[in-house]
Amino acid sequence: MADWPPSSEETLRERAREYARTVDIDVDSDALTWEVSTRAKRRAGACLYDPETRAVTVRLAWRATQSFDWPTFARVIRHELIHAWEYREFGEAGHGPRFRERVDRLDVSTTCPTFTDARLLLDCTAPDCDWTADRHRASPAVTEPADRRCGRCGSRHEVLHVASGERWRTAAGYRGARERIPEW
Ligand SMILES: [Zn+2]
Ligand SMILES: [Zn+2]
């Protein structure tokens, strides 16, 4: 695809907005605010909601444009558009049944897309929270994540084993992943 990675934040915002118009989901992409974060290091996209004004913002990570090709980045945009649609229609968003119904049709991941060079990542499950933390060893936050909470918003977090893409939220999930991952 020409013009990728984008040359400026403005180009990225325009590109994302234009692409969003072509995605088959019932949300007016021009009514959304599109933001580029130059600080976000892990979460490729986030969808923010202000319950008072009902404004929805899609925030895209500039750094992800350097590590993702366009098809991968386009999936990030589609993922966040599902959250945007949920916030507009229902005032809340997550990765539950309503989200998963749209996963196949829009070919997106069921978790907020991340990019990192860490081995393990703690990743908040709330769509509007971009809290993550690197982990290198199997500490209790990794092996027993159900007992821990996001360091910012208090939601559950999940653990991502970056190389394999395995994710878990419980001690049992950790044990299963550990068995499936050939090279820990
Ligand atoms: Zn998400
Ligand atoms: Zn959080």
Side-chain angles (χ1 to χ4, degrees):
M1 185 70 114
D3 197 26
W4 191 264
S7 52
S8 69
E9 293 170 39
E10 183 55 35
T11 316
L12 174 58
R13 269 198 301 276
E14 276 312 303
R15 179 73 175 270
R17 188 194 297 275
E18 260 170 45
Y19 174 69
R21 289 191 193 114
T22 72
V23 176
D24 181 20
I25 188 160
D26 192 16
V27 57
D28 177 4
S29 71
D30 291 314
L32 309 175
T33 302
W34 294 84
E35 263 182 27
V36 175
S37 167
T38 53
R39 286 178 311 168
K41 290 198 190 93
R42 309 268 150 53
R43 196 56 87 68
C47 189
L48 293 76
Y49 180 61
D50 181 339
E52 286 190 2
T53 63
R54 302 196 64 238
V56 176
T57 301
V58 176
R59 182 182 289 163
L60 302 167
W62 177 254
R63 283 178 208 182
T65 66
Q66 312 302 305
S67 50
F68 287 176
D69 59 13
W70 167 248
T72 308
F73 201 86
R75 290 182 84 208
V76 174
I77 295 172
R78 296 198 300 276
H79 181 108
E80 301 308 333
L81 277 174
I82 301 177
H83 288 321
W85 167 78
E86 290 184 285
Y87 279 131
R88 300 282 294 184
E89 294 291 318
F90 310 102
E92 55 174 32
H95 300 104
R98 190 169 59 208
F99 188 95
R100 290 198 298 270
E101 258 173 43
R102 278 152 188 87
V103 160
D104 283 344
R105 187 160 58 81
L106 292 177
D107 182 27
V108 298
S109 60
T110 50
T111 51
C112 288
T114 43
F115 62 106
T116 179
D117 49 15
R119 196 157 68 94
L120 296 155
L121 192 73
L122 311 182
D123 189 8
C124 179
T125 57
D128 58 355
C129 177
D130 59 7
W131 181 87
T132 61
D134 288 349
R135 285 293 180 276
H136 298 279
R137 294 180 307 112
S139 61
V142 169
T143 60
E144 290 161 28
D147 298 341
R148 306 299 182 96
R149 290 294 179 269
C150 163
R152 189 177 300 152
C153 76
S155 297
R156 294 282 298 274
H157 71 69
E158 61 188 11
V159 186
L160 166 67
H161 181 263
V162 175
S164 66
E166 290 270 3
R167 287 177 178 264
W168 60 90
R169 294 186 188 191
T170 62
Y174 164 72
R175 289 192 296 271
R178 187 90 198 215
E179 277 172 19
R180 283 190 299 274
I181 298 170
E183 271 185 53
W184 177 252

